[in-house]
Amino acid sequence: MAIKKQYLKSKPVCKVTFTVPAEEAKKVAVVGDFNNWNPKGSLLKKLKNGTFKGTFDLPMEQSYEFRYLVDGTYVNDEAADRYQWNDFAGAENAVLEL
């Protein structure tokens, strides 16, 4: 898994590209507090090599809890900036610092 951040000089947003290797998966989405944990509109596109990839514009100078939803199972990204315990989920969430 990988996270790429591209900060824009013209706008206060960061283009964040999420990459998830999941050849056997049918659907992968990135969900977090930036999209109310809703997988609709946050599905990643499956590439020919079996990797899922998607880019999203997120406001800068904030941190976001997120996880991947791989065929209905929540997965953290080992490339996250840090992890934070979430009582609601009863698990650690990955955190993205922008």
Side-chain angles (χ1 to χ4, degrees):
M1 292 181 218
I3 301 169
K4 180 183 167 196
K5 302 174 190 175
Q6 180 183 3
Y7 294 93
L8 301 181
K9 292 179 181 171
S10 58
K11 297 180 194 172
V13 298
C14 179
K15 285 189 172 298
V16 182
T17 301
F18 298 96
T19 305
V20 181
E23 287 182 35
E24 304 300 318
K26 302 242 184 293
K27 288 195 302 188
V28 176
V30 60
V31 294
D33 48 17
F34 53 83
N35 64 2
N36 293 319
W37 299 90
N38 187 345
K40 289 185 178 164
S42 63
L43 286 174
L44 304 182
K45 184 178 179 183
K46 188 168 189 174
L47 305 177
K48 290 180 181 177
N49 67 2
T51 299
F52 287 80
K53 194 172 191 177
T55 302
F56 302 90
D57 290 352
L58 299 177
M60 291 187 337
E61 298 180 9
Q62 295 188 42
S63 42
Y64 302 96
E65 289 187 37
F66 76 98
R67 295 181 99 181
Y68 297 114
L69 191 55
V70 180
D71 288 343
T73 302
Y74 287 101
V75 178
N76 272 333
D77 191 327
E78 68 268 5
D81 295 322
R82 63 183 173 87
Y83 298 94
Q84 182 168 312
W85 180 259
N86 183 294
D87 286 332
F88 181 77
E92 278 190 333
N93 287 334
V95 177
L96 182 66
E97 301 277 358
L98 300 180

